[in-house]
Each structure stands twice: as structure tokens, then as C-alpha cells.
Amino acid sequence: LEKTEMSSDVATKENIELFRKIYETETEWLSSLQLENGAIPMTYSKNGQLTVNPYFADFAALALLDNAERYADSVVRYMDWHFAHLNTAEEDFNGLDGTIYDYKVTMKNGEIVKEVISTPENADSYDTTDSYAATFLTVVYKYLQKTGDSDYIAANAEDIVRITNVM
């Protein structure tokens, strides 16, 4: 094979600065989506209905943890929301303890007026149980790595085990 010289992909100081600005802007935007109750919806509007899909919210939380110094408190608020919305086996439509449904949140003038389980075709909803659990546990683990806050983990150990068992 003939060797060809590749164009230089060396990151210049200008590129590094551009990527840093993009990163900061995007994480600030993700943080701005968070609702007063800790949920992270897929989009934001002061008026109307928002969708909270815990799987995608987990990825937003993971991105925020890349700057844990600034956003760890936001991630705690999200994890608190997540823990508070776990289903019991009696509540879950599949009879599984530790799952979480998707939610619809109705906003009026920037305030939450209603939060309900997303119910397409009149059925409680989540896409999967294992992926929702796995991504959330990844958030919990990364939070511990970034902050060292083992007290928070210990305080929520029972729910963490419930979520682990869903997988």
C-alpha cells in the first residue's frame, strides 16, 4: 500500500478554545433545561407540555458531570427526582420494582402545573427497563467518581439496589 500523508489534525490553540466554548455553551444549555423539581426534559418551553424521558435525561446528567464542579448540585436534583419517581412492583405495569416511567410535564408561565406519567394509547410507558436502569446507574457511579460523595450514595443505597435488580 502506498503511504499517503494525512492532513494535519493537530489541535491548535484556536481549535481548543472553540471546543471549550462549545462545551461550555452546550452544558449550560443542558443545565437550563432542568425544571424546578429536578427533572431534565428533552426540550424546554415556558408554556405547554414537555417530555421527560429518564434515559435521555441520564445522558444530559452525564454530560453535566463532566463539569461536576459547576453542575454536581444539578445532577443531585435530577437524581433526587429520579429516585422519587421509581415504581414499586405494584405500580409497574410489568410488575417490576425499581423501574421508572416517562413523564409529561405541563408548564404555564415557566412553572410546573402538572406532572403525569406519559401514557401513549392509555398505557403507562417506558421504552425499556434495563437501559433506563443502566444509564441511571452510570450517572450514580460517575457522580461518585467526580464528587466522592459516598454519603449521598449510602443514603440512596436501597433505591440503587432496586434499580440494579431491574437489569
Side-chain angles (χ1 to χ4, degrees):
L1 294 174
E2 183 178 322
K3 289 186 177 184
T4 58
E5 192 172 319
M6 297 178 65
S7 63
S8 176
D9 289 336
V10 176
T12 64
K13 288 182 182 180
E14 294 83 18
N15 287 340
I16 292 170
E17 182 62 21
L18 174 64
F19 292 135
R20 187 189 62 72
K21 285 180 182 179
I22 291 169
Y23 163 76
E24 288 177 3
T25 301
E26 291 300 307
T27 53
E28 190 170 317
W29 173 75
L30 285 173
S31 176
S32 76
L33 295 175
Q34 189 169 40
L35 304 178
E36 63 201 41
N37 67 356
I40 304 174
M42 295 179 70
T43 58
Y44 182 79
S45 176
K46 288 185 176 187
N47 296 294
Q49 195 170 71
L50 309 177
T51 298
V52 179
N53 177 302
Y55 178 80
F56 293 114
D58 293 342
F59 284 101
L62 287 168
L64 294 174
L65 283 169
D66 284 335
N67 189 350
E69 299 80 23
R70 183 170 179 187
Y71 296 113
D73 290 343
S74 296
V75 174
V76 167
R77 289 180 41 239
Y78 167 67
M79 290 188 296
D80 287 345
W81 177 88
H82 191 107
F83 286 131
H85 288 77
L86 292 178
N87 297 316
T88 65
E90 294 76 28
E91 295 167 328
D92 182 75
F93 71 94
N94 286 313
L96 299 172
D97 183 51
T99 62
I100 187 168
Y101 291 136
D102 296 338
Y103 281 82
K104 295 287 184 190
V105 177
T106 304
M107 303 291 288
K108 185 171 183 180
N109 298 320
E111 301 289 324
I112 297 171
V113 293
K114 183 168 60 169
E115 179 185 64
V116 296
I117 296 168
S118 179
T119 56
E121 300 177 22
N122 299 318
D124 294 337
S125 175
Y126 46 63
D127 293 328
T128 67
T129 58
D130 56 347
S131 294
Y132 281 32
T135 55
F136 184 72
L137 292 171
T138 303
V139 171
V140 171
Y141 182 68
K142 187 171 182 178
Y143 172 79
L144 177 61
Q145 286 182 312
K146 292 288 190 169
T147 67
D149 186 1
S150 58
D151 290 341
Y152 182 83
I153 305 305
N156 292 286
E158 185 176 313
D159 284 336
I160 292 168
V161 169
R162 291 173 63 209
I163 295 166
T164 302
N165 289 336
V166 170
M167 292 189 300

